Amino acid sequence: MAASGTSTVTENFKNVGLVVLGILSASTGLKSFLLSSHFIDGGVTGISMLLAQILGVPLAVLLLVINLPFLVLGYRQIGRGFALKSAAAIAGLSLTVALVPFPDITPDLLLTAVFGGLFIGAGIGLAMRGGAVLDGTEIAALLISKHSPLLKVSDVILLLNVFIFGTAAFFLGIQTAMYSILTYVAASKALDFLLNGIEQYTGVTIVSEHSEEVRQTITEKLGRGVTIYQGKRGYGKRGDQHEARDIVFTVVTRLELPQLRSEVRRIDPKAFLIQQSIDDTEGGMVKKRPLH
């Protein structure tokens, strides 16, 4: 019981540390790079930055006000704990932007766009690793996609950002909007790396006549868990050859994938492999990612 409590406390400290690092990283991207060059990011943060330049309202205030409706939605749809942590994270970001001085690192526009985006994306990713968000875009996109069968989360985010950068082109100029798009791309890549990493999970389905040997190699040599499905092969002009087959399914990281493919090909050069990306996993014998 005590060990479980200690583990929970350690996990909470780790999550708080990740959120604090995320706030500092995002604040660096904003104050050390983007704000002095009048570039913006995508999402709710981008809307706040755009309105701050058009209306002259302090960015720290807009970050709180514009994210508030999304936090209310998150409270209703996702849960109280998530909403409270996200509210604290966004408040921390606003206070840091308002009160903490940061040096203006470079006047170079290209470096500003790229590294500003990297710091913001890394900040959002670290906060999400800690169980909070610094930008309400993902909450809105998730809820809209649930109520619209035609739109996925990525579609909603894309449409929102098309509107944001189109508006930026009108008010701030084409060049600034183009640099801002570069900022958004850099932020997206940094966010994706923090959430998925170079060790992104891949699900592999293997159909082979030597399924038992494949299973033994994966579990004993590679040290990974497997799931065995019972299936039947269908081939020929009418697909009427119903030979029973054990189908092996496993989850590995991209770094482990080449070794898995090599071992399967060694056992059965005619084996049929299907690969698909997996956002995340929990439990079992899957190798844990860093910062997870």
PDB file of all heavy atoms in Angstrom, residues 180-218:
ATOM      1  N   SER A 180       4.735  32.487 -40.482  1.00  0.00           N
ATOM      2  CA  SER A 180       3.921  31.907 -39.409  1.00  0.00           C
ATOM      3  C   SER A 180       3.526  30.465 -39.725  1.00  0.00           C
ATOM      4  O   SER A 180       3.457  29.620 -38.825  1.00  0.00           O
ATOM      5  CB  SER A 180       2.666  32.759 -39.194  1.00  0.00           C
ATOM      6  OG  SER A 180       3.010  34.067 -38.768  1.00  0.00           O
ATOM      7  N   ILE A 181       3.261  30.178 -40.990  1.00  0.00           N
ATOM      8  CA  ILE A 181       2.972  28.797 -41.387  1.00  0.00           C
ATOM      9  C   ILE A 181       4.183  27.916 -41.125  1.00  0.00           C
ATOM     10  O   ILE A 181       4.058  26.773 -40.647  1.00  0.00           O
ATOM     11  CB  ILE A 181       2.552  28.745 -42.870  1.00  0.00           C
ATOM     12  CG1 ILE A 181       1.191  29.415 -43.061  1.00  0.00           C
ATOM     13  CG2 ILE A 181       2.492  27.298 -43.367  1.00  0.00           C
ATOM     14  CD1 ILE A 181       0.786  29.583 -44.515  1.00  0.00           C
ATOM     15  N   LEU A 182       5.378  28.434 -41.408  1.00  0.00           N
ATOM     16  CA  LEU A 182       6.607  27.696 -41.113  1.00  0.00           C
ATOM     17  C   LEU A 182       6.736  27.448 -39.612  1.00  0.00           C
ATOM     18  O   LEU A 182       7.150  26.365 -39.174  1.00  0.00           O
ATOM     19  CB  LEU A 182       7.809  28.473 -41.637  1.00  0.00           C
ATOM     20  CG  LEU A 182       9.185  27.803 -41.515  1.00  0.00           C
ATOM     21  CD1 LEU A 182       9.210  26.474 -42.257  1.00  0.00           C
ATOM     22  CD2 LEU A 182      10.267  28.728 -42.052  1.00  0.00           C
ATOM     23  N   THR A 183       6.366  28.444 -38.828  1.00  0.00           N
ATOM     24  CA  THR A 183       6.366  28.277 -37.369  1.00  0.00           C
ATOM     25  C   THR A 183       5.438  27.154 -36.946  1.00  0.00           C
ATOM     26  O   THR A 183       5.783  26.306 -36.112  1.00  0.00           O
ATOM     27  CB  THR A 183       5.920  29.594 -36.695  1.00  0.00           C
ATOM     28  OG1 THR A 183       6.869  30.613 -36.963  1.00  0.00           O
ATOM     29  CG2 THR A 183       5.784  29.411 -35.183  1.00  0.00           C
ATOM     30  N   TYR A 184       4.252  27.130 -37.533  1.00  0.00           N
ATOM     31  CA  TYR A 184       3.270  26.095 -37.191  1.00  0.00           C
ATOM     32  C   TYR A 184       3.777  24.701 -37.573  1.00  0.00           C
ATOM     33  O   TYR A 184       3.610  23.738 -36.817  1.00  0.00           O
ATOM     34  CB  TYR A 184       1.944  26.389 -37.885  1.00  0.00           C
ATOM     35  CG  TYR A 184       0.953  25.260 -37.786  1.00  0.00           C
ATOM     36  CD1 TYR A 184       0.362  24.942 -36.573  1.00  0.00           C
ATOM     37  CD2 TYR A 184       0.633  24.492 -38.898  1.00  0.00           C
ATOM     38  CE1 TYR A 184      -0.536  23.900 -36.474  1.00  0.00           C
ATOM     39  CE2 TYR A 184      -0.269  23.450 -38.807  1.00  0.00           C
ATOM     40  CZ  TYR A 184      -0.846  23.158 -37.592  1.00  0.00           C
ATOM     41  OH  TYR A 184      -1.719  22.119 -37.503  1.00  0.00           O
ATOM     42  N   VAL A 185       4.404  24.588 -38.746  1.00  0.00           N
ATOM     43  CA  VAL A 185       4.944  23.292 -39.172  1.00  0.00           C
ATOM     44  C   VAL A 185       6.019  22.817 -38.196  1.00  0.00           C
ATOM     45  O   VAL A 185       6.040  21.643 -37.782  1.00  0.00           O
ATOM     46  CB  VAL A 185       5.514  23.392 -40.602  1.00  0.00           C
ATOM     47  CG1 VAL A 185       6.261  22.110 -40.967  1.00  0.00           C
ATOM     48  CG2 VAL A 185       4.394  23.647 -41.610  1.00  0.00           C
ATOM     49  N   ALA A 186       6.911  23.717 -37.800  1.00  0.00           N
ATOM     50  CA  ALA A 186       7.963  23.347 -36.843  1.00  0.00           C
ATOM     51  C   ALA A 186       7.363  22.935 -35.509  1.00  0.00           C
ATOM     52  O   ALA A 186       7.806  21.960 -34.881  1.00  0.00           O
ATOM     53  CB  ALA A 186       8.927  24.517 -36.660  1.00  0.00           C
ATOM     54  N   ALA A 187       6.342  23.675 -35.056  1.00  0.00           N
ATOM     55  CA  ALA A 187       5.686  23.336 -33.784  1.00  0.00           C
ATOM     56  C   ALA A 187       5.006  21.970 -33.866  1.00  0.00           C
ATOM     57  O   ALA A 187       5.072  21.173 -32.918  1.00  0.00           O
ATOM     58  CB  ALA A 187       4.665  24.415 -33.429  1.00  0.00           C
ATOM     59  N   SER A 188       4.366  21.679 -34.997  1.00  0.00           N
ATOM     60  CA  SER A 188       3.685  20.390 -35.174  1.00  0.00           C
ATOM     61  C   SER A 188       4.680  19.238 -35.130  1.00  0.00           C
ATOM     62  O   SER A 188       4.412  18.190 -34.525  1.00  0.00           O
ATOM     63  CB  SER A 188       2.923  20.372 -36.499  1.00  0.00           C
ATOM     64  OG  SER A 188       1.924  21.358 -36.517  1.00  0.00           O
ATOM     65  N   LYS A 189       5.833  19.421 -35.770  1.00  0.00           N
ATOM     66  CA  LYS A 189       6.849  18.370 -35.777  1.00  0.00           C
ATOM     67  C   LYS A 189       7.407  18.145 -34.376  1.00  0.00           C
ATOM     68  O   LYS A 189       7.626  16.996 -33.960  1.00  0.00           O
ATOM     69  CB  LYS A 189       7.975  18.729 -36.746  1.00  0.00           C
ATOM     70  CG  LYS A 189       7.553  18.756 -38.211  1.00  0.00           C
ATOM     71  CD  LYS A 189       7.086  17.390 -38.678  1.00  0.00           C
ATOM     72  CE  LYS A 189       6.702  17.401 -40.147  1.00  0.00           C
ATOM     73  NZ  LYS A 189       6.187  16.076 -40.590  1.00  0.00           N
ATOM     74  N   ALA A 190       7.656  19.225 -33.653  1.00  0.00           N
ATOM     75  CA  ALA A 190       8.167  19.089 -32.289  1.00  0.00           C
ATOM     76  C   ALA A 190       7.145  18.407 -31.387  1.00  0.00           C
ATOM     77  O   ALA A 190       7.481  17.545 -30.573  1.00  0.00           O
ATOM     78  CB  ALA A 190       8.542  20.461 -31.726  1.00  0.00           C
ATOM     79  N   LEU A 191       5.870  18.797 -31.539  1.00  0.00           N
ATOM     80  CA  LEU A 191       4.801  18.174 -30.750  1.00  0.00           C
ATOM     81  C   LEU A 191       4.693  16.686 -31.053  1.00  0.00           C
ATOM     82  O   LEU A 191       4.592  15.855 -30.136  1.00  0.00           O
ATOM     83  CB  LEU A 191       3.484  18.880 -31.047  1.00  0.00           C
ATOM     84  CG  LEU A 191       2.220  18.292 -30.415  1.00  0.00           C
ATOM     85  CD1 LEU A 191       2.325  18.298 -28.898  1.00  0.00           C
ATOM     86  CD2 LEU A 191       0.989  19.060 -30.869  1.00  0.00           C
ATOM     87  N   ASP A 192       4.728  16.339 -32.332  1.00  0.00           N
ATOM     88  CA  ASP A 192       4.634  14.935 -32.731  1.00  0.00           C
ATOM     89  C   ASP A 192       5.799  14.129 -32.170  1.00  0.00           C
ATOM     90  O   ASP A 192       5.627  12.995 -31.710  1.00  0.00           O
ATOM     91  CB  ASP A 192       4.592  14.830 -34.255  1.00  0.00           C
ATOM     92  CG  ASP A 192       4.476  13.386 -34.727  1.00  0.00           C
ATOM     93  OD1 ASP A 192       3.440  12.760 -34.466  1.00  0.00           O
ATOM     94  OD2 ASP A 192       5.432  12.888 -35.360  1.00  0.00           O
ATOM     95  N   PHE A 193       7.002  14.710 -32.190  1.00  0.00           N
ATOM     96  CA  PHE A 193       8.171  14.005 -31.672  1.00  0.00           C
ATOM     97  C   PHE A 193       8.053  13.780 -30.163  1.00  0.00           C
ATOM     98  O   PHE A 193       8.381  12.704 -29.657  1.00  0.00           O
ATOM     99  CB  PHE A 193       9.439  14.798 -31.979  1.00  0.00           C
ATOM    100  CG  PHE A 193      10.696  14.124 -31.501  1.00  0.00           C
ATOM    101  CD1 PHE A 193      11.289  13.129 -32.253  1.00  0.00           C
ATOM    102  CD2 PHE A 193      11.280  14.485 -30.292  1.00  0.00           C
ATOM    103  CE1 PHE A 193      12.445  12.493 -31.813  1.00  0.00           C
ATOM    104  CE2 PHE A 193      12.430  13.853 -29.846  1.00  0.00           C
ATOM    105  CZ  PHE A 193      13.009  12.861 -30.609  1.00  0.00           C
ATOM    106  N   LEU A 194       7.561  14.798 -29.436  1.00  0.00           N
ATOM    107  CA  LEU A 194       7.418  14.657 -27.983  1.00  0.00           C
ATOM    108  C   LEU A 194       6.376  13.616 -27.617  1.00  0.00           C
ATOM    109  O   LEU A 194       6.520  12.883 -26.638  1.00  0.00           O
ATOM    110  CB  LEU A 194       7.056  15.996 -27.366  1.00  0.00           C
ATOM    111  CG  LEU A 194       8.174  16.792 -26.678  1.00  0.00           C
ATOM    112  CD1 LEU A 194       8.698  16.045 -25.463  1.00  0.00           C
ATOM    113  CD2 LEU A 194       9.324  17.062 -27.637  1.00  0.00           C
ATOM    114  N   LEU A 195       5.292  13.539 -28.410  1.00  0.00           N
ATOM    115  CA  LEU A 195       4.222  12.603 -28.083  1.00  0.00           C
ATOM    116  C   LEU A 195       4.519  11.191 -28.577  1.00  0.00           C
ATOM    117  O   LEU A 195       4.181  10.212 -27.925  1.00  0.00           O
ATOM    118  CB  LEU A 195       2.899  13.087 -28.680  1.00  0.00           C
ATOM    119  CG  LEU A 195       2.352  14.394 -28.107  1.00  0.00           C
ATOM    120  CD1 LEU A 195       1.013  14.720 -28.738  1.00  0.00           C
ATOM    121  CD2 LEU A 195       2.215  14.312 -26.598  1.00  0.00           C
ATOM    122  N   ASN A 196       5.131  11.076 -29.758  1.00  0.00           N
ATOM    123  CA  ASN A 196       5.371   9.760 -30.349  1.00  0.00           C
ATOM    124  C   ASN A 196       6.832   9.347 -30.331  1.00  0.00           C
ATOM    125  O   ASN A 196       7.159   8.179 -30.188  1.00  0.00           O
ATOM    126  CB  ASN A 196       4.863   9.720 -31.800  1.00  0.00           C
ATOM    127  CG  ASN A 196       3.373   9.931 -31.887  1.00  0.00           C
ATOM    128  OD1 ASN A 196       2.627   9.371 -31.094  1.00  0.00           O
ATOM    129  ND2 ASN A 196       2.932  10.738 -32.825  1.00  0.00           N
ATOM    130  N   GLY A 197       7.727  10.326 -30.511  1.00  0.00           N
ATOM    131  CA  GLY A 197       9.149  10.045 -30.480  1.00  0.00           C
ATOM    132  C   GLY A 197       9.621   9.216 -31.656  1.00  0.00           C
ATOM    133  O   GLY A 197       8.857   8.820 -32.521  1.00  0.00           O
ATOM    134  N   ILE A 198      10.926   8.974 -31.681  1.00  0.00           N
ATOM    135  CA  ILE A 198      11.471   8.125 -32.737  1.00  0.00           C
ATOM    136  C   ILE A 198      11.070   6.672 -32.494  1.00  0.00           C
ATOM    137  O   ILE A 198      11.237   5.828 -33.365  1.00  0.00           O
ATOM    138  CB  ILE A 198      13.007   8.231 -32.822  1.00  0.00           C
ATOM    139  CG1 ILE A 198      13.659   7.829 -31.488  1.00  0.00           C
ATOM    140  CG2 ILE A 198      13.434   9.628 -33.214  1.00  0.00           C
ATOM    141  CD1 ILE A 198      15.167   7.759 -31.543  1.00  0.00           C
ATOM    142  N   GLU A 199      10.539   6.410 -31.297  1.00  0.00           N
ATOM    143  CA  GLU A 199      10.136   5.051 -30.970  1.00  0.00           C
ATOM    144  C   GLU A 199       8.622   4.887 -31.085  1.00  0.00           C
ATOM    145  O   GLU A 199       7.984   4.241 -30.273  1.00  0.00           O
ATOM    146  CB  GLU A 199      10.612   4.689 -29.563  1.00  0.00           C
ATOM    147  CG  GLU A 199      12.131   4.666 -29.438  1.00  0.00           C
ATOM    148  CD  GLU A 199      12.578   4.103 -28.109  1.00  0.00           C
ATOM    149  OE1 GLU A 199      11.984   4.469 -27.078  1.00  0.00           O
ATOM    150  OE2 GLU A 199      13.491   3.293 -28.107  1.00  0.00           O
ATOM    151  N   GLN A 200       8.046   5.494 -32.094  1.00  0.00           N
ATOM    152  CA  GLN A 200       6.606   5.373 -32.310  1.00  0.00           C
ATOM    153  C   GLN A 200       6.217   3.906 -32.450  1.00  0.00           C
ATOM    154  O   GLN A 200       6.905   3.128 -33.085  1.00  0.00           O
ATOM    155  CB  GLN A 200       6.199   6.133 -33.568  1.00  0.00           C
ATOM    156  CG  GLN A 200       4.701   6.121 -33.816  1.00  0.00           C
ATOM    157  CD  GLN A 200       4.325   6.913 -35.042  1.00  0.00           C
ATOM    158  OE1 GLN A 200       5.171   7.200 -35.883  1.00  0.00           O
ATOM    159  NE2 GLN A 200       3.068   7.267 -35.146  1.00  0.00           N
ATOM    160  N   TYR A 201       5.110   3.548 -31.845  1.00  0.00           N
ATOM    161  CA  TYR A 201       4.690   2.155 -31.859  1.00  0.00           C
ATOM    162  C   TYR A 201       4.145   1.739 -33.226  1.00  0.00           C
ATOM    163  O   TYR A 201       3.488   2.514 -33.915  1.00  0.00           O
ATOM    164  CB  TYR A 201       3.613   1.916 -30.802  1.00  0.00           C
ATOM    165  CG  TYR A 201       4.091   2.104 -29.389  1.00  0.00           C
ATOM    166  CD1 TYR A 201       3.423   2.956 -28.517  1.00  0.00           C
ATOM    167  CD2 TYR A 201       5.205   1.419 -28.918  1.00  0.00           C
ATOM    168  CE1 TYR A 201       3.855   3.120 -27.213  1.00  0.00           C
ATOM    169  CE2 TYR A 201       5.643   1.584 -27.616  1.00  0.00           C
ATOM    170  CZ  TYR A 201       4.969   2.435 -26.769  1.00  0.00           C
ATOM    171  OH  TYR A 201       5.389   2.592 -25.484  1.00  0.00           O
ATOM    172  N   THR A 202       4.425   0.518 -33.584  1.00  0.00           N
ATOM    173  CA  THR A 202       3.932  -0.060 -34.833  1.00  0.00           C
ATOM    174  C   THR A 202       3.326  -1.422 -34.530  1.00  0.00           C
ATOM    175  O   THR A 202       3.965  -2.267 -33.892  1.00  0.00           O
ATOM    176  CB  THR A 202       5.070  -0.225 -35.863  1.00  0.00           C
ATOM    177  OG1 THR A 202       5.634   1.061 -36.143  1.00  0.00           O
ATOM    178  CG2 THR A 202       4.544  -0.838 -37.147  1.00  0.00           C
ATOM    179  N   GLY A 203       2.093  -1.627 -34.965  1.00  0.00           N
ATOM    180  CA  GLY A 203       1.468  -2.938 -34.844  1.00  0.00           C
ATOM    181  C   GLY A 203       1.798  -3.770 -36.079  1.00  0.00           C
ATOM    182  O   GLY A 203       1.693  -3.278 -37.201  1.00  0.00           O
ATOM    183  N   VAL A 204       2.217  -4.998 -35.872  1.00  0.00           N
ATOM    184  CA  VAL A 204       2.617  -5.872 -36.981  1.00  0.00           C
ATOM    185  C   VAL A 204       1.787  -7.157 -36.921  1.00  0.00           C
ATOM    186  O   VAL A 204       1.785  -7.852 -35.905  1.00  0.00           O
ATOM    187  CB  VAL A 204       4.115  -6.219 -36.926  1.00  0.00           C
ATOM    188  CG1 VAL A 204       4.512  -7.056 -38.145  1.00  0.00           C
ATOM    189  CG2 VAL A 204       4.965  -4.964 -36.858  1.00  0.00           C
ATOM    190  N   THR A 205       1.084  -7.442 -38.013  1.00  0.00           N
ATOM    191  CA  THR A 205       0.334  -8.685 -38.155  1.00  0.00           C
ATOM    192  C   THR A 205       1.098  -9.591 -39.104  1.00  0.00           C
ATOM    193  O   THR A 205       1.482  -9.171 -40.192  1.00  0.00           O
ATOM    194  CB  THR A 205      -1.071  -8.415 -38.715  1.00  0.00           C
ATOM    195  OG1 THR A 205      -1.756  -7.501 -37.839  1.00  0.00           O
ATOM    196  CG2 THR A 205      -1.871  -9.705 -38.824  1.00  0.00           C
ATOM    197  N   ILE A 206       1.343 -10.826 -38.680  1.00  0.00           N
ATOM    198  CA  ILE A 206       2.173 -11.754 -39.447  1.00  0.00           C
ATOM    199  C   ILE A 206       1.376 -13.019 -39.746  1.00  0.00           C
ATOM    200  O   ILE A 206       0.886 -13.689 -38.830  1.00  0.00           O
ATOM    201  CB  ILE A 206       3.453 -12.135 -38.663  1.00  0.00           C
ATOM    202  CG1 ILE A 206       4.206 -10.867 -38.242  1.00  0.00           C
ATOM    203  CG2 ILE A 206       4.341 -13.061 -39.490  1.00  0.00           C
ATOM    204  CD1 ILE A 206       5.231 -11.113 -37.159  1.00  0.00           C
ATOM    205  N   VAL A 207       1.249 -13.327 -41.025  1.00  0.00           N
ATOM    206  CA  VAL A 207       0.580 -14.558 -41.459  1.00  0.00           C
ATOM    207  C   VAL A 207       1.650 -15.458 -42.060  1.00  0.00           C
ATOM    208  O   VAL A 207       2.276 -15.113 -43.065  1.00  0.00           O
ATOM    209  CB  VAL A 207      -0.520 -14.269 -42.493  1.00  0.00           C
ATOM    210  CG1 VAL A 207      -1.218 -15.573 -42.898  1.00  0.00           C
ATOM    211  CG2 VAL A 207      -1.528 -13.272 -41.943  1.00  0.00           C
ATOM    212  N   SER A 208       1.875 -16.603 -41.431  1.00  0.00           N
ATOM    213  CA  SER A 208       2.956 -17.484 -41.873  1.00  0.00           C
ATOM    214  C   SER A 208       2.610 -18.935 -41.588  1.00  0.00           C
ATOM    215  O   SER A 208       1.885 -19.241 -40.633  1.00  0.00           O
ATOM    216  CB  SER A 208       4.260 -17.114 -41.150  1.00  0.00           C
ATOM    217  OG  SER A 208       5.267 -18.083 -41.370  1.00  0.00           O
ATOM    218  N   GLU A 209       3.142 -19.820 -42.408  1.00  0.00           N
ATOM    219  CA  GLU A 209       2.986 -21.258 -42.159  1.00  0.00           C
ATOM    220  C   GLU A 209       3.810 -21.694 -40.954  1.00  0.00           C
ATOM    221  O   GLU A 209       3.604 -22.781 -40.416  1.00  0.00           O
ATOM    222  CB  GLU A 209       3.417 -22.044 -43.395  1.00  0.00           C
ATOM    223  CG  GLU A 209       2.532 -21.799 -44.612  1.00  0.00           C
ATOM    224  CD  GLU A 209       3.009 -22.588 -45.822  1.00  0.00           C
ATOM    225  OE1 GLU A 209       4.070 -23.253 -45.709  1.00  0.00           O
ATOM    226  OE2 GLU A 209       2.328 -22.545 -46.869  1.00  0.00           O
ATOM    227  N   HIS A 210       4.760 -20.865 -40.559  1.00  0.00           N
ATOM    228  CA  HIS A 210       5.626 -21.189 -39.418  1.00  0.00           C
ATOM    229  C   HIS A 210       5.313 -20.257 -38.250  1.00  0.00           C
ATOM    230  O   HIS A 210       6.213 -19.687 -37.622  1.00  0.00           O
ATOM    231  CB  HIS A 210       7.093 -21.066 -39.830  1.00  0.00           C
ATOM    232  CG  HIS A 210       7.454 -21.858 -41.045  1.00  0.00           C
ATOM    233  ND1 HIS A 210       7.701 -23.216 -40.996  1.00  0.00           N
ATOM    234  CD2 HIS A 210       7.580 -21.488 -42.342  1.00  0.00           C
ATOM    235  CE1 HIS A 210       7.988 -23.653 -42.216  1.00  0.00           C
ATOM    236  NE2 HIS A 210       7.915 -22.627 -43.054  1.00  0.00           N
ATOM    237  N   SER A 211       4.033 -20.081 -37.958  1.00  0.00           N
ATOM    238  CA  SER A 211       3.608 -19.110 -36.951  1.00  0.00           C
ATOM    239  C   SER A 211       4.154 -19.427 -35.561  1.00  0.00           C
ATOM    240  O   SER A 211       4.470 -18.522 -34.793  1.00  0.00           O
ATOM    241  CB  SER A 211       2.084 -19.034 -36.907  1.00  0.00           C
ATOM    242  OG  SER A 211       1.522 -20.318 -36.661  1.00  0.00           O
ATOM    243  N   GLU A 212       4.278 -20.706 -35.211  1.00  0.00           N
ATOM    244  CA  GLU A 212       4.775 -21.068 -33.890  1.00  0.00           C
ATOM    245  C   GLU A 212       6.237 -20.662 -33.731  1.00  0.00           C
ATOM    246  O   GLU A 212       6.638 -20.137 -32.677  1.00  0.00           O
ATOM    247  CB  GLU A 212       4.618 -22.569 -33.657  1.00  0.00           C
ATOM    248  CG  GLU A 212       5.157 -23.066 -32.312  1.00  0.00           C
ATOM    249  CD  GLU A 212       4.525 -22.377 -31.112  1.00  0.00           C
ATOM    250  OE1 GLU A 212       3.388 -21.866 -31.240  1.00  0.00           O
ATOM    251  OE2 GLU A 212       5.158 -22.355 -30.033  1.00  0.00           O
ATOM    252  N   GLU A 213       7.042 -20.864 -34.759  1.00  0.00           N
ATOM    253  CA  GLU A 213       8.443 -20.455 -34.696  1.00  0.00           C
ATOM    254  C   GLU A 213       8.565 -18.938 -34.647  1.00  0.00           C
ATOM    255  O   GLU A 213       9.417 -18.395 -33.940  1.00  0.00           O
ATOM    256  CB  GLU A 213       9.206 -21.008 -35.909  1.00  0.00           C
ATOM    257  CG  GLU A 213      10.710 -20.811 -35.805  1.00  0.00           C
ATOM    258  CD  GLU A 213      11.454 -21.456 -36.964  1.00  0.00           C
ATOM    259  OE1 GLU A 213      10.811 -22.185 -37.756  1.00  0.00           O
ATOM    260  OE2 GLU A 213      12.676 -21.225 -37.079  1.00  0.00           O
ATOM    261  N   VAL A 214       7.677 -18.251 -35.389  1.00  0.00           N
ATOM    262  CA  VAL A 214       7.654 -16.785 -35.346  1.00  0.00           C
ATOM    263  C   VAL A 214       7.308 -16.311 -33.945  1.00  0.00           C
ATOM    264  O   VAL A 214       7.944 -15.399 -33.397  1.00  0.00           O
ATOM    265  CB  VAL A 214       6.647 -16.228 -36.371  1.00  0.00           C
ATOM    266  CG1 VAL A 214       6.436 -14.728 -36.147  1.00  0.00           C
ATOM    267  CG2 VAL A 214       7.118 -16.483 -37.790  1.00  0.00           C
ATOM    268  N   ARG A 215       6.310 -16.949 -33.345  1.00  0.00           N
ATOM    269  CA  ARG A 215       5.903 -16.576 -31.990  1.00  0.00           C
ATOM    270  C   ARG A 215       7.043 -16.754 -31.000  1.00  0.00           C
ATOM    271  O   ARG A 215       7.314 -15.880 -30.165  1.00  0.00           O
ATOM    272  CB  ARG A 215       4.706 -17.414 -31.552  1.00  0.00           C
ATOM    273  CG  ARG A 215       4.167 -17.064 -30.159  1.00  0.00           C
ATOM    274  CD  ARG A 215       3.268 -18.145 -29.591  1.00  0.00           C
ATOM    275  NE  ARG A 215       3.998 -19.399 -29.355  1.00  0.00           N
ATOM    276  CZ  ARG A 215       4.794 -19.598 -28.300  1.00  0.00           C
ATOM    277  NH1 ARG A 215       4.963 -18.634 -27.390  1.00  0.00           N
ATOM    278  NH2 ARG A 215       5.409 -20.740 -28.135  1.00  0.00           N
ATOM    279  N   GLN A 216       7.729 -17.897 -31.078  1.00  0.00           N
ATOM    280  CA  GLN A 216       8.825 -18.160 -30.163  1.00  0.00           C
ATOM    281  C   GLN A 216       9.958 -17.155 -30.329  1.00  0.00           C
ATOM    282  O   GLN A 216      10.548 -16.690 -29.344  1.00  0.00           O
ATOM    283  CB  GLN A 216       9.359 -19.581 -30.376  1.00  0.00           C
ATOM    284  CG  GLN A 216       8.413 -20.666 -29.895  1.00  0.00           C
ATOM    285  CD  GLN A 216       8.984 -22.055 -30.106  1.00  0.00           C
ATOM    286  OE1 GLN A 216       9.973 -22.229 -30.825  1.00  0.00           O
ATOM    287  NE2 GLN A 216       8.374 -23.052 -29.488  1.00  0.00           N
ATOM    288  N   THR A 217      10.255 -16.795 -31.563  1.00  0.00           N
ATOM    289  CA  THR A 217      11.334 -15.828 -31.812  1.00  0.00           C
ATOM    290  C   THR A 217      10.984 -14.461 -31.238  1.00  0.00           C
ATOM    291  O   THR A 217      11.832 -13.799 -30.618  1.00  0.00           O
ATOM    292  CB  THR A 217      11.594 -15.705 -33.326  1.00  0.00           C
ATOM    293  OG1 THR A 217      12.015 -16.963 -33.831  1.00  0.00           O
ATOM    294  CG2 THR A 217      12.661 -14.658 -33.606  1.00  0.00           C
ATOM    295  N   ILE A 218       9.737 -14.026 -31.416  1.00  0.00           N
ATOM    296  CA  ILE A 218       9.330 -12.710 -30.920  1.00  0.00           C
ATOM    297  C   ILE A 218       9.356 -12.668 -29.401  1.00  0.00           C
ATOM    298  O   ILE A 218       9.844 -11.705 -28.795  1.00  0.00           O
ATOM    299  CB  ILE A 218       7.923 -12.354 -31.440  1.00  0.00           C
ATOM    300  CG1 ILE A 218       7.954 -12.159 -32.957  1.00  0.00           C
ATOM    301  CG2 ILE A 218       7.401 -11.083 -30.764  1.00  0.00           C
ATOM    302  CD1 ILE A 218       6.592 -11.966 -33.581  1.00  0.00           C
TER     303      ILE A 218
END
